[in-house]
Amino acid sequence: MASAWERKHHHSDLEKAAAFLPRLLAEDSLTSNCHSQTIVGVLLFVDMSDFTALTEKFIQSSGTDRGTDELAQTLSRFLRDILEEMLTFGGDILKFAGDAVLVLWRAPHQELAKTITLVLQCSWQIQKKYGSRDTPVGQKVQLKIGISAGPMNVVFFGDGRRRHFCICDRALNEVCEAQELANAGEVILSATSWELCERHRLRIKHLAGKRAVKVTGMDQMSWSECQDALRKLVQHPVSHRLEGEGAMRPALVLSNRPKVVEVLGKYIPETALMKLDDRLPLDFFSELRPVTSLFIQLQLATDFISTAELCTVLLNASRMLLEILCPHKGKINKVLLFDKGCSFLCVFGLTGEKLPYKSLHALQSAIQILNSFSTMFGGKEAVSVAVTSGMVFYGVNGHPLRREYTVIGQKVNLAARMMMHYPGLVSCDAATYAASRLPPYYFKELPERNMKGISHPGTLYQYVGITKESIFGMGLTKERSEYAPLLGREKEIDLFVSCLKAYKELGQRHILAFEGMMGSGKSHLLTELAYLGQAAGHRVVAVELLEVNVRQSFSAIRTLMARALGLQDCELCSDKERMLQTKLRGTIEESSYCLLNDIFLVEFPVSDKVRDMGEPQRKKELHSTWAKVLEKAIGGEFGIFVIDNAHFIDPASWSIMSPVLRNVSLFMVMSLAPGYARTESFCKAAADETMSHNITYLHLDKLKPSAVVQKVCQDLGVVSISRDLARFLIQRSSGIPYYCEELLRCLRRSDMLLSCTRRRGEKGEDNWESLTASAVEASPLAASSSSSAGDDGRVCVIRPDVNLENAVLPVTLKEIALAELDRLKPLKQMVLKHAAVIGPVFTTQLLSHILPAGIRHKMNCLLDMLVRDNILKWLKNTEVPEDVQDPTKGPATSLRAESGVERSSPSKTTAERQSGVLAFCVLPLQEAAYQLWPERQRVALHHKCAAFLERHVHKCKSCSQGDFVAFHRFAVTSTQDGGSCQGPADQGDSRSWEALVLAGEQMRRDRTHATEDAEDDLQQQQAFMEEDFGVAGRFLAKSEETTELSSKSDGKHSGACSCECKAIVESVLVPLARHYLAMGDAARAFYYLLECAAAYLHVSNSYMALVKLNEAEVLRNSVEKKANVIACFEEAVFFSLKGEVCCRTGRMKLAKKMIREALSLLKRQFPRTCIGALVKSQVEKLQCAAYVARRAASLPQEARRKRLAWLLQQSRCLSLLEHLFSLEGTSSGQTFSRLAARMKANTDRAADSYRAADSRHR
């Protein structure tokens, strides 16, 4: 939704973009060819004290994701307030530096004194109003302000892609010094500004040994004096005002000249420009995403360097940075000459710019930057680079009239501190070290330093880059377990064995290439094959290539030859030389050994023959020598060669290896990943008729569900796992072994799993916890057919208080999913992010409801493209409803059936727009997209989703509509906002209902049939079904008939094909509970969890009813003041539903206990003794129906319906008790059963009276 400022003043995209720029960037500066400009004015530098410590407290208090979000929101609110004052006083916001801001007041030299007074008055206002503010984590935010004045230079630098500007000279140095001298809550004037100011207005205190002064008080300017000073500021235009806030912004003077527009755009981050071009609301610019931050500091003696020299330095540095960063998709976010000297903040992994292994790309860039800048500035001591990885807030920060697009977070602050404390090297944190996946010899552990505001930075490392160890690469890093077989790869192993046999017996050379996506188990497979080759008596030479190798010329061939020749075990140079001479005798001439010096780090004397060669001839001879060495190294006598990650073979190595592999007799096994040039080369070679008999190219399939279950049991050391856990891992992992491992590791680290010993015939205590445990452990999935679920053994289940839907996606999988997401255009990403809030399955009507109005008309076209990209899949299409039609647009998609899923066909033009139900193809992508939302925007979208779904909260037409808990909405009206939870008469159109039914059917299939594709040994255990959970019969038909909300028995509901309630509970009620939980509305979430439980009982699914009641109990226990959140009626319903679940599962004693508790809460006591039953029976005979009817008629409608809800709930409880006691077969049981029947009859008559009164007054 556009802000007031946007609606009133942003007449063009360029004007909206101007809020990201200072007024300083005037037209003359943009169009002139000069690289610097001299101006005069007053600088104000404001900084928050202990901001880094505040960041740490937010992370410790709320966790990484939420803490980062809360920090960003706190900072944004604080900056908005202080920027409001600065803008009101005519300041031009030049630069943001996280928690610091640099502001300029341009003025003629003769007006500097008055301008300094104006700036001082602004500073006093800021300190008075906002100088000390409390935060949610208990730490105060305080401000330190420095002021300087005088002439200064603005330097402009960059290239054709991106431009930057900085303020420099004495005024900047003085304002930085003044701010450093200030304590929290103080304002310091620099020496020059003290000389120029109106001293008679000020009360100051001199600082010991400093020319700067602390301002302790001032005679403030009058309103007219302030206005006069504002009018005399340089180029002060007519101010724009934000309605109701009084702030003014010196507006950027815009021009229609294309050159101005083009140059202006180069000062704004590319991602922000793309979103502005797509006309996205500013609220949707921000994200929470994992990035890698790279901070660079240059030690420049700015006091002794001229402006021209500084401009040249910054220009050369920025161009060199861009050349280094661009291939790695890194971006310069900001360039600063204040706060921490000359520094550059670069970011990897931003929206649309994310690559796999971004931490590795950042480290490679960092070492290049260190080496290049060291050469440029004469030594490494002048440069320091720090790299950190983690969650940040990436988006808009500041004021509606002046904002920045930047990154904020703990890891950014840590990088800034590391940059200051570890000069002359590349430092990185433990997260970057782990995410790079580089061997340890690429790093050195750094000594611990005391960094301000950082309490526990963790282990820090120096990235040293290529070393002698890395020159020769490494072997396979995956370890093979002697006790656990490799699962699901029998076909690949059989192929390897047969090819190896043919190679050994017939001498048939062969290359086995296995292609699989990241995490598909390629490395584990090659480790297993290498072991099998060794076991068969062959020598195996195995190497694993890394992403760094693809950018190092000849690294692959060097690694392969060194390991084949045994050089990796030689410590001394002389040992390597002797080894080479021994192995290569007769292969190359003695005069050519010197050509191996650089590649193998040896020191053979340079022969005369080589010395006399020209450069082209030497290069040709070098290639010829390497080809001979390679042919000798990988000849048949050396056995089997295994190359993991062969897609990382560098082009130079491939130019030599390709012809050799075609002609040499060898047996080679390699793994490849899709999307790389080398993978395409092998794929084409396998398809070539002349090569196909020597190359077998095999795609690794995903693991079958049975293999996933076996792998999980194997990793956990148990014989079986619960079905809920199996379903979660099968769906989330999509059959990819690495995904399964990471999910399982995350669950164990979060203590969500529970291992227990299952003993056949063991009976637990008769309580709710025991019932829950038995339900969770019921019919687990065994690891193999030899492990029976009913036998003794360890079983892994989910903890009773854990909801796996709330499990956070592991960071590693989030990185993979975001790399996929960032390949998409911003508009596609925006649609996916909105769909992710709805859930894995969504309807186009609901998506259209929550999308911004500006892109709603493009929705169908974007969905069509996302389906073609295999990101989404159509489940069903229906006729488009009127609320999403756009008469101005043509047809968008057509669908074709493919494997039971409808997909769009690009070759066919559709006659009408598509509408219906879609689903995410991969669940981690949906979860990663959802987690990008900052909390404020996320809550707003959940609210929109809930508002749409609440129009459909009722039973289906065949079940007479209404609440699943009779008259629930009327009993707890205090939990409902006005206009929500409309009755059946206010429902949305029939197409929305139809789409929700289709979505619900898919959700139910996903939930109940996730494990049905397992192999025969697991399929035989499918006897357990949710609907069959329990042993009690369906006896509540009579009870259902007592309400107007249901006219059919439960038995009929469970089997009737026309009943749509099973689908509605999945697509409406369950999501509503989730939406309100995400919004933090515990009362409404509890309301819908009870509706979910009642709905599942309505469709005879006792197991899912129990699951939802457990979720409700966890929520109920987490609420501190239950009376203010959970109504007494809902407490009664909670126990009533528990009693019904107990009854249906054969726990009769526990059921009676729960029902008695419910009746007690409903103010209808049921006696516990026979004498009490006789007395109560006599009392029930005395009830007067006429009195009840008169009372019903006298009550207002709201109170009457609330009372009716209580009566109907009492009737249901009494019906249950009547049935439970009738099953006892004792005289006391019959007594209690008859009493329950009598009480129910009286309650039903009272309910009829209230129903009749309600009908007369309707």
Side-chain angles (χ1 to χ4, degrees):
M1 183 177 179
S3 66
W5 175 263
E6 290 176 302
R7 291 194 300 269
K8 187 172 181 179
H9 299 293
H10 287 166
H11 304 296
S12 69
D13 293 336
L14 188 58
E15 286 188 64
K16 189 181 292 187
F20 291 94
L21 299 171
R23 172 68 185 87
L24 181 65
L25 293 178
E27 183 175 336
D28 56 348
S29 301
L30 295 172
T31 56
S32 64
N33 293 323
C34 64
H35 296 298
S36 65
Q37 179 183 2
T38 301
I39 61 174
V40 178
V42 180
L43 285 177
L44 181 147
F45 183 12
V46 58
D47 190 18
M48 296 183 191
S49 62
D50 298 324
F51 179 71
T52 303
L54 178 67
T55 303
E56 294 284 310
K57 284 196 173 183
F58 269 108
I59 300 301
Q60 292 167 9
S61 172
S62 304
T64 304
D65 290 18
R66 187 174 177 182
T68 302
D69 189 15
E70 290 176 352
L71 169 72
Q73 298 307 321
T74 300
L75 177 62
S76 184
R77 287 192 296 268
F78 194 53
L79 281 180
R80 181 188 175 101
D81 290 337
I82 63 175
L83 294 182
E84 172 87 5
E85 295 294 331
M86 295 171 181
L87 293 167
T88 301
F89 279 87
D92 187 13
I93 317 299
L94 293 183
K95 291 272 187 176
F96 297 84
D99 60 321
V101 182
L102 184 66
V103 192
L104 170 69
W105 278 259
R106 289 186 67 181
H109 194 277
Q110 65 273 18
E111 296 295 332
L112 280 180
K114 278 196 175 297
T115 305
I116 292 172
T117 305
L118 181 70
V119 175
L120 272 170
Q121 188 155 326
C122 173
S123 302
W124 274 107
Q125 285 282 84
I126 291 173
Q127 290 288 25
K128 181 180 177 181
K129 292 182 179 180
Y130 315 111
S132 180
R133 175 179 285 187
D134 293 327
T135 62
V137 292
Q139 179 173 318
K140 287 185 178 295
V141 174
Q142 296 179 298
L143 298 176
K144 303 186 298 180
I145 297 178
I147 298 173
S148 71
M152 61 198 81
N153 282 290
V154 189
V155 294
F156 306 93
F157 54 94
D159 62 4
R161 292 164 288 183
R162 186 80 197 279
R163 291 188 63 79
H164 305 274
F165 76 95
C166 284
I167 296 285
C168 61
D169 282 345
R170 180 180 176 183
L172 179 68
N173 296 334
E174 286 194 355
V175 79
C176 292
E177 181 186 6
Q179 187 273 330
E180 285 290 331
L181 292 172
N183 294 318
E186 294 181 349
V187 178
I188 303 294
L189 273 180
S190 71
T192 304
S193 55
W194 170 238
E195 294 173 0
L196 296 171
C197 71
E198 298 176 321
R199 296 191 179 189
H200 65 279
R201 288 181 178 269
L202 307 181
R203 294 180 293 280
I204 60 97
K205 181 179 179 180
H206 290 280
L207 302 177
K210 302 292 182 181
R211 295 175 59 204
V213 298
K214 179 173 73 173
V215 180
T216 59
M218 68 176 295
D219 298 330
Q220 296 197 1
M221 304 171 72
S222 65
W223 183 85
S224 60
E225 287 178 310
C226 287
Q227 294 302 308
D228 182 61
L230 285 171
R231 282 191 292 271
K232 292 179 180 178
L233 293 176
V234 173
Q235 296 180 348
H236 182 72
V238 177
S239 298
H240 285 166
R241 293 184 178 275
L242 188 64
E243 291 182 7
E245 300 198 13
M248 52 187 159
R249 163 85 197 276
L252 191 66
V253 178
L254 301 175
S255 169
N256 291 326
R257 283 188 285 172
K259 184 176 181 180
V260 176
V261 176
E262 180 185 354
V263 176
L264 181 66
K266 293 177 183 178
Y267 287 90
I268 302 174
E270 294 176 23
T271 307
L273 275 179
M274 291 172 62
K275 294 185 177 183
L276 286 169
D277 291 342
D278 289 330
R279 301 178 184 274
L280 295 179
L282 287 172
D283 278 349
F284 298 137
F285 274 42
S286 303
E287 292 180 335
L288 288 174
R289 66 165 46 230
V291 304
T292 297
S293 305
L294 187 152
F295 243 124
I296 308 156
Q297 184 183 43
L298 303 179
Q299 299 292 341
L300 300 179
T302 53
D303 291 335
F304 307 102
I305 188 172
S306 68
T307 301
E309 291 173 328
L310 178 63
C311 189
T312 301
V313 167
L314 292 174
L315 179 63
N316 292 337
S318 63
R319 286 179 175 174
M320 185 176 293
L321 272 179
L322 288 171
E323 292 300 320
I324 293 173
L325 295 175
C326 281
H328 299 278
K329 297 290 186 179
K331 296 293 179 183
I332 301 176
N333 183 256
K334 59 181 64 175
V335 184
L336 303 172
L337 280 181
F338 67 102
D339 193 26
K340 293 177 176 62
C342 180
S343 56
F344 297 80
L345 173 59
C346 310
V347 188
F348 296 78
L350 296 179
T351 306
E353 302 290 346
K354 192 174 184 67
L355 289 175
Y357 313 105
K358 71 176 187 305
S359 297
L360 178 57
H361 286 282
L363 290 172
Q364 289 178 312
S365 301
I367 202 71
Q368 285 182 265
I369 291 167
L370 181 69
N371 294 332
S372 300
F373 280 15
S374 298
T375 303
M376 180 185 296
F377 299 110
K380 290 186 177 181
E381 295 76 15
V383 187
S384 61
V385 187
V387 185
T388 57
S389 300
M391 186 64 63
V392 300
F393 172 89
Y394 176 52
V396 176
N397 184 44
H399 191 279
L401 310 185
R402 179 67 177 97
R403 57 177 70 93
E404 68 163 346
Y405 200 64
T406 189
V407 290
I408 299 170
Q410 177 200 30
K411 291 295 186 175
V412 182
N413 293 349
L414 177 59
R417 296 294 187 209
M418 290 165 56
M419 170 187 73
M420 302 290 290
H421 287 82
Y422 296 99
L425 52 85
V426 176
S427 57
C428 71
D429 65 341
T432 305
Y433 168 83
S436 71
R437 301 188 180 186
L438 289 172
Y441 47 72
Y442 277 83
F443 301 88
K444 290 181 180 178
E445 190 170 325
L446 287 171
E448 187 175 344
R449 301 270 172 87
N450 185 21
M451 296 184 284
K452 181 183 176 183
I454 306 291
S455 54
H456 301 289
T459 305
L460 301 181
Y461 299 89
Q462 177 188 358
Y463 177 67
V464 296
I466 299 174
T467 61
K468 289 184 178 180
E469 291 90 344
S470 61
I471 286 289
F472 298 117
M474 58 183 180
L476 302 180
T477 57
K478 298 297 181 183
E479 295 182 0
R480 179 185 182 275
S481 172
E482 298 181 5
Y483 308 101
L486 186 66
L487 299 171
R489 299 302 179 203
E490 293 79 10
K491 179 177 68 174
E492 291 80 3
I493 292 174
D494 291 344
L495 176 63
F496 169 81
V497 171
S498 62
C499 291
L500 182 60
K501 183 178 180 181
Y503 171 67
K504 181 179 180 180
E505 296 179 355
L506 305 176
Q508 294 180 357
R509 60 190 179 92
H510 208 87
I511 298 177
L512 273 179
F514 297 103
E515 181 198 321
M517 62 183 294
M518 180 181 176
S520 59
K522 304 185 297 295
S523 299
H524 282 292
L525 175 61
L526 262 61
T527 300
E528 181 71 14
L529 299 184
Y531 169 79
L532 294 176
Q534 288 177 330
H538 297 275
R539 182 193 175 203
V540 176
V541 177
V543 298
E544 179 178 344
L545 299 180
L546 303 170
E547 209 274 344
V548 294
N549 296 122
V550 79
R551 289 183 171 83
Q552 299 172 9
S553 294
F554 305 110
S555 62
I557 193 172
R558 173 173 55 217
T559 301
L560 184 63
M561 289 192 297
R563 291 201 161 262
L565 297 172
L567 298 182
Q568 76 277 6
D569 298 325
C570 299
E571 293 289 339
L572 302 176
C573 178
S574 57
D575 294 337
K576 296 175 189 174
E577 292 172 358
R578 282 194 296 271
M579 181 69 73
L580 287 171
Q581 289 172 329
T582 301
K583 297 285 188 180
L584 301 179
R585 185 173 291 115
T587 302
I588 61 175
E589 299 177 0
E590 288 289 333
S591 60
S592 298
Y593 276 106
C594 60
L595 294 172
L596 305 177
N597 285 349
D598 291 337
I599 192 169
F600 290 130
L601 301 180
V602 290
E603 298 176 357
F604 288 109
V606 179
S607 63
D608 295 336
K609 177 182 176 182
V610 173
R611 186 181 294 110
D612 295 338
M613 290 180 181
E615 187 62 30
Q617 186 182 0
R618 180 179 294 189
K619 186 175 181 180
K620 183 178 179 180
E621 183 68 20
L622 184 65
H623 277 246
S624 174
T625 300
W626 285 352
K628 292 176 183 177
V629 174
L630 178 65
E631 186 172 347
K632 173 68 175 177
I634 66 175
E637 61 179 292
F638 289 97
I640 305 169
F641 290 85
V642 179
I643 305 179
D644 194 12
N645 296 328
H647 49 278
F648 289 142
I649 297 176
D650 59 281
S653 295
W654 183 245
S655 65
I656 299 174
M657 292 176 65
S658 180
V660 173
L661 293 178
R662 292 175 181 269
N663 302 317
V664 175
S665 177
L666 80 164
F667 188 78
M668 182 175 285
V669 184
M670 61 179 62
S671 69
L672 300 159
Y676 291 87
R678 213 59 59 231
T679 304
E680 296 296 326
S681 301
F682 279 101
C683 187
K684 290 178 182 178
D688 188 347
E689 292 183 358
T690 61
M691 293 288 294
S692 59
H693 62 285
N694 293 327
I695 298 178
T696 300
Y697 195 89
L698 193 66
H699 294 270
L700 292 183
D701 297 326
K702 297 177 180 179
L703 294 181
K704 295 179 180 179
S706 60
V708 173
V709 173
Q710 291 171 335
K711 176 177 175 55
V712 173
C713 291
Q714 180 177 287
D715 292 346
L716 292 174
V718 297
V719 298
S720 59
I721 60 175
S722 67
R723 283 185 173 272
D724 286 343
L725 178 58
R727 183 183 301 121
F728 172 82
L729 293 172
I730 290 170
Q731 289 179 338
R732 296 299 197 279
S733 69
S734 301
I736 300 172
Y738 178 69
Y739 289 14
C740 184
E741 292 169 5
E742 287 298 302
L743 288 165
L744 197 58
R745 187 177 295 114
C746 183
L747 292 177
R748 299 177 74 176
R749 188 168 54 243
S750 303
D751 197 25
M752 292 184 172
L753 303 180
L754 182 66
S755 293
C756 54
T757 302
R758 177 183 174 85
R759 301 190 181 280
R760 184 168 46 190
E762 182 179 346
K763 188 174 182 180
E765 298 179 15
D766 192 17
N767 55 33
W768 182 259
E769 291 73 19
S770 174
L771 174 61
T772 301
S774 64
V776 171
E777 296 173 20
S779 188
L781 291 177
S784 65
S785 58
S786 61
S787 301
S788 173
D791 292 340
D792 296 353
R794 302 290 293 174
V795 180
C796 184
V797 299
I798 305 162
R799 287 189 176 275
D801 59 343
V802 169
N803 182 1
L804 285 181
E805 292 181 3
N806 300 327
V808 177
L809 188 68
V811 174
T812 49
L813 300 191
K814 187 174 183 178
E815 294 277 6
I816 297 171
L818 287 181
E820 179 72 20
L821 184 67
D822 284 333
R823 294 192 182 102
L824 306 175
K825 297 294 184 182
L827 278 180
K828 291 184 184 180
Q829 291 188 36
M830 186 56 56
V831 170
L832 279 181
K833 286 169 62 179
H834 280 78
V837 176
I838 302 172
V841 179
F842 59 93
T843 68
T844 52
Q845 290 93 338
L846 179 49
L847 179 60
S848 174
H849 179 75
I850 66 173
L851 279 174
I855 62 174
R856 199 171 293 160
H857 66 283
K858 303 177 183 178
M859 181 189 75
N860 283 276
C861 180
L862 292 168
L863 290 175
D864 176 65
M865 290 187 283
L866 288 168
V867 170
R868 286 203 295 268
D869 293 337
N870 292 322
I871 303 296
L872 299 176
K873 56 186 177 184
W874 283 100
L875 301 177
K876 183 71 174 179
N877 69 302
T878 60
E879 184 181 353
V880 64
E882 296 178 0
D883 58 351
V884 294
Q885 284 183 342
D886 182 7
T888 65
K889 297 292 178 182
T893 66
S894 64
L895 304 182
R896 61 183 174 86
E898 181 180 326
S899 302
V901 174
E902 298 184 14
R903 294 185 178 271
S904 62
S905 173
S907 62
K908 183 179 177 182
T909 303
T910 57
E912 60 181 19
R913 304 285 297 280
Q914 297 296 346
S915 170
V917 183
L918 295 100
F920 282 83
C921 294
V922 181
L923 285 183
L925 184 63
Q926 179 259 330
E927 295 179 37
Y930 174 76
Q931 292 174 20
L932 288 173
W933 287 109
E935 185 176 5
R936 185 170 62 87
Q937 291 90 328
R938 186 188 305 167
V939 168
L941 290 172
H942 279 296
H943 185 80
K944 284 187 175 183
C945 291
F948 179 91
L949 292 175
E950 282 184 329
R951 302 203 306 258
H952 304 280
V953 182
H954 59 89
K955 296 178 183 178
C956 64
K957 289 183 179 179
S958 64
C959 297
S960 302
Q961 301 187 335
D963 296 331
F964 287 93
V965 175
F967 276 72
H968 194 176
R969 74 192 68 198
F970 302 112
V972 287
T973 51
S974 61
T975 67
Q976 308 298 328
D977 292 333
S980 66
C981 282
Q982 297 92 338
D986 298 323
Q987 303 311 319
D989 59 64
S990 59
R991 296 189 188 96
S992 295
W993 174 270
E994 180 183 338
L996 287 169
V997 170
L998 293 172
E1001 291 172 351
Q1002 179 63 33
M1003 293 176 186
R1004 183 170 176 273
R1005 282 194 295 270
D1006 290 343
R1007 179 171 53 77
T1008 58
H1009 302 305
T1011 58
E1012 283 190 358
D1013 294 331
E1015 294 186 356
D1016 292 342
D1017 57 319
L1018 299 183
Q1019 289 176 345
Q1020 293 171 2
Q1021 302 176 38
Q1022 296 293 328
F1024 170 80
M1025 296 295 291
E1026 288 175 351
E1027 287 79 357
D1028 296 332
F1029 178 72
V1031 297
R1034 302 180 180 95
F1035 59 86
L1036 295 179
K1038 185 176 180 182
S1039 174
E1040 290 286 340
E1041 291 172 356
T1042 64
T1043 73
E1044 68 170 11
L1045 307 175
S1046 177
S1047 61
K1048 301 181 180 182
S1049 68
D1050 278 0
K1052 189 171 182 180
H1053 288 319
S1054 61
C1057 60
S1058 61
C1059 179
E1060 298 170 333
C1061 293
K1062 286 184 179 181
I1064 288 302
V1065 66
E1066 304 288 351
S1067 62
V1068 177
L1069 293 176
V1070 173
L1072 272 171
R1074 178 175 59 84
H1075 289 311
Y1076 279 114
L1077 277 172
M1079 292 161 59
D1081 190 338
R1084 196 74 68 87
F1086 192 79
Y1087 175 97
Y1088 283 113
L1089 285 173
L1090 294 182
E1091 283 287 309
C1092 288
Y1096 280 123
L1097 287 172
H1098 175 75
V1099 298
S1100 301
N1101 191 337
S1102 301
Y1103 175 77
M1104 284 307 298
L1106 180 143
V1107 169
K1108 293 303 169 185
L1109 286 172
N1110 277 334
E1111 291 179 24
E1113 184 157 40
V1114 171
L1115 179 61
R1116 175 174 170 267
N1117 294 337
S1118 67
V1119 178
E1120 295 180 0
K1121 298 180 180 179
K1122 302 175 192 173
N1124 295 333
V1125 177
I1126 300 174
C1128 182
F1129 176 81
E1130 294 200 307
E1131 286 275 347
V1133 172
F1134 177 65
F1135 283 102
S1136 172
L1137 292 172
K1138 275 189 170 184
E1140 190 168 340
V1141 169
C1142 293
C1143 181
R1144 295 193 181 202
T1145 55
R1147 300 292 185 97
M1148 303 307 180
K1149 183 178 178 181
L1150 184 59
K1152 285 185 282 188
K1153 178 182 176 182
M1154 295 293 178
I1155 297 300
R1156 286 179 186 272
E1157 181 66 25
L1159 283 172
S1160 177
L1161 290 166
L1162 291 168
K1163 308 295 191 293
R1164 196 76 189 275
Q1165 300 293 337
F1166 193 85
R1168 297 181 180 275
T1169 65
C1170 291
I1171 296 176
L1174 292 174
V1175 174
K1176 184 67 173 177
S1177 180
Q1178 296 303 314
V1179 172
E1180 289 294 321
K1181 292 179 181 179
L1182 300 176
Q1183 284 201 5
C1184 179
Y1187 169 76
V1188 174
R1190 287 195 301 272
R1191 178 171 173 77
S1194 66
L1195 292 175
Q1197 185 185 56
E1198 182 179 349
R1200 187 166 51 245
R1201 290 185 173 181
K1202 185 173 183 177
R1203 179 58 183 164
L1204 180 58
W1206 282 62
L1207 291 171
L1208 293 174
Q1209 195 60 35
Q1210 290 174 5
S1211 177
R1212 189 173 186 87
C1213 291
L1214 291 167
S1215 178
L1216 279 166
L1217 281 181
E1218 178 187 1
H1219 174 78
L1220 290 169
F1221 281 113
S1222 68
L1223 296 176
E1224 289 188 1
T1226 63
S1227 59
S1228 61
Q1230 294 303 314
T1231 299
F1232 284 118
S1233 179
R1234 286 193 296 271
L1235 174 60
R1238 182 178 296 277
M1239 293 174 68
K1240 179 183 181 303
N1242 288 338
T1243 303
D1244 289 345
R1245 282 194 293 270
D1248 290 340
S1249 298
Y1250 277 88
R1251 191 181 292 111
D1254 191 57
S1255 299
R1256 288 195 297 270
H1257 292 84
R1258 187 171 297 172

